[in-house]
Amino acid sequence: MVKRKAFVCLLAVLTVFTGCGEAKQTEAERTYPLEAIEMVAPAGNGSGYDLTIRSIVQCLENTGLVSVPLPVTNKPGGGGRITMEYLDEARGRDNVISIFSPPICLINLNGSTDLNYAENTTPIAQLVVDYGCFAVRADSPFQNLNDVMDRLKESPESVSVGGTSSLGSMDHIQFLKIARAAGVGNLRKIQYDGFENGGGVTQLMGGRVDILSTGISDVVGLVESGDIRVLAVTSDKRLEGDVISQIPTCREQGIDAEFITWRGLFGPGDMPEYAVEYWERILKEMTETNEWKAICRKYGWTMEYKDHKQFNEFLEQTNEEYRELLEEVGLSRRWR
């Protein structure tokens, strides 16, 4: 009888603690978020990452979808490695979110870091698809993309290429993919410099690089002002917009290739499920607002929302495609 009473008491105590735990979890789900959410750009001011995360914050605040502060922090370095390390250190937290695009896969595949998106971050949602472009100064002798590719075919080292991501990452890979499709050989000899602090355009204007490989949204303003010319976009068809609709695609110039730049939000590894579900819902609502649609039109972004599950499935497939491309050009960690 004594043993039975002791067992019943123990069971009651466990039930109380379990109930408290469930109540605490329910309270967190019900009240989240209560504090500021740090929004991280893995590159400097003026970069594509910076533009995208600040546009998201602006839209969320202006539409009243989020009431807590959303301060933006810039953490450039390593093609996104510094930010991945930051998210890894924040494992399990619900108050840090970062924007990312293909480099979150590429910097692991090219050996820049052992961290990877699947184990060290929590994919939340994809928001938009952007496209790359290849820009030159207004006074550049290159009049079209084939002028550049013809020069590279003669001498791969004769054209200096700049980008806003590191060696072996997005801007570099998108240029190599198009160059390979154009018939350029010795891809490893092409000179490439990455300017992750957002200074790619400055380097182009200052003459340090001959051509800039970047996202079209990064240079729309300079195209409108006439300071630079964009030779091609990496989309499958011309983009919408008063200015960017005038820019030909690579395919229109006889180069049968494209490069898609998806952009989505990621939390720390093991981000609580209630936080992921909250941001899925809020971001889906954001993409349906007129404010967000106007932002996308302004920067030439194509709206393409994917929730947590869809985004994970997409990333798994895309990561394998990047692996194959890096192996082809000898930049995979497997071939080093």
Side-chain angles (χ1 to χ4, degrees):
M1 178 66 70
V2 173
K3 289 184 178 180
R4 187 173 184 277
K5 287 184 177 180
F7 173 75
V8 171
C9 290
L10 177 61
L11 183 61
V13 170
L14 290 174
T15 301
V16 169
F17 277 107
T18 301
C20 289
E22 290 177 351
K24 183 178 181 180
Q25 178 69 7
T26 302
E27 179 69 12
E29 293 175 357
R30 187 172 63 83
T31 60
Y32 177 82
L34 285 174
E35 61 180 358
I37 307 294
E38 183 182 13
M39 308 296 278
V40 183
N45 290 322
S47 65
Y49 281 143
D50 184 68
L51 172 66
T52 309
I53 198 73
R54 291 182 188 277
S55 296
I56 293 169
V57 168
Q58 176 187 345
C59 190
L60 290 173
E61 292 179 340
N62 289 349
T63 56
L65 286 170
V66 178
S67 58
V68 298
L70 301 172
V72 175
T73 303
N74 293 88
K75 289 188 175 296
R81 176 178 54 80
I82 300 301
T83 296
M84 287 194 72
E85 291 173 352
Y86 186 65
L87 290 180
D88 189 51
E89 292 170 359
R91 178 174 294 274
R93 287 168 50 187
D94 61 10
N95 61 348
V96 181
I97 292 176
S98 178
I99 186 75
F100 263 114
S101 58
I104 197 172
C105 299
L106 292 167
I107 60 174
N108 171 264
L109 295 172
N110 67 24
S112 297
T113 180
D114 289 329
L115 301 178
N116 64 76
Y117 81 87
E119 298 175 336
N120 305 104
T121 75
T122 300
I124 298 173
Q126 175 184 295
L127 296 177
V128 295
V129 169
D130 194 7
Y131 295 95
C133 73
F134 308 113
V136 295
R137 296 183 300 279
D139 61 353
S140 171
F142 297 124
Q143 297 303 308
N144 55 61
L145 189 57
N146 281 315
D147 286 348
V148 178
M149 297 306 167
D150 288 343
R151 179 77 65 81
L152 288 170
K153 289 174 186 177
E154 295 175 4
S155 173
E157 300 172 325
S158 63
V159 178
S160 57
V161 182
T164 56
S165 62
S166 60
L167 184 74
S169 196
M170 184 173 65
D171 292 340
H172 187 200
I173 294 302
Q174 82 174 6
F175 187 85
L176 292 180
K177 181 177 181 179
I178 301 303
R180 180 187 60 183
V184 176
N186 296 318
L187 295 178
R188 298 188 197 188
K189 292 187 177 181
I190 295 176
Q191 299 182 58
Y192 176 86
D193 284 316
F195 306 100
E196 298 176 66
N197 61 356
V201 170
T202 301
Q203 301 300 327
L204 175 68
M205 299 300 293
R208 181 173 175 183
V209 296
D210 298 314
I211 186 168
L212 181 68
S213 174
T214 188
I216 183 62
S217 59
D218 298 355
V219 296
V220 169
L222 290 170
V223 174
E224 292 175 339
S225 67
D227 292 314
I228 67 172
R229 290 184 289 112
V230 175
L231 303 181
V233 290
T234 63
S235 54
D236 59 344
K237 58 184 178 181
R238 291 210 181 192
L239 301 174
E240 297 181 2
D242 294 338
V243 175
I244 59 179
S245 63
Q246 305 303 312
I247 303 170
T249 66
C250 298
R251 283 202 166 96
E252 286 182 74
Q253 299 177 66
I255 303 172
D256 189 18
E258 63 183 74
F259 191 91
I260 299 172
T261 303
W262 49 267
R263 294 185 182 179
L265 293 183
F266 294 74
D270 297 330
M271 189 178 199
E273 185 176 346
Y274 64 81
V276 176
E277 292 177 351
Y278 170 86
W279 284 106
E280 275 185 314
R281 176 175 60 82
I282 291 298
L283 293 169
K284 183 66 168 64
E285 292 181 20
M286 183 195 75
T287 62
E288 296 169 351
T289 64
N290 291 330
E291 288 84 351
W292 183 249
K293 292 174 183 177
I295 288 172
C296 290
R297 284 195 300 270
K298 178 179 180 179
Y299 295 115
W301 298 337
T302 300
M303 292 188 294
E304 192 170 305
Y305 178 84
K306 289 184 175 69
D307 63 22
H308 170 70
K309 181 180 178 181
Q310 295 168 329
F311 196 23
N312 266 303
E313 292 172 352
F314 167 79
L315 287 169
E316 184 176 355
Q317 176 183 352
T318 302
N319 194 64
E320 188 57 33
E321 293 175 357
Y322 294 157
R323 184 192 309 278
E324 294 173 0
L325 177 59
L326 285 168
E327 288 180 356
E328 285 184 33
V329 297
L331 289 172
S332 169
R333 65 165 70 205
R334 177 178 172 182
W335 299 109
R336 291 189 173 189

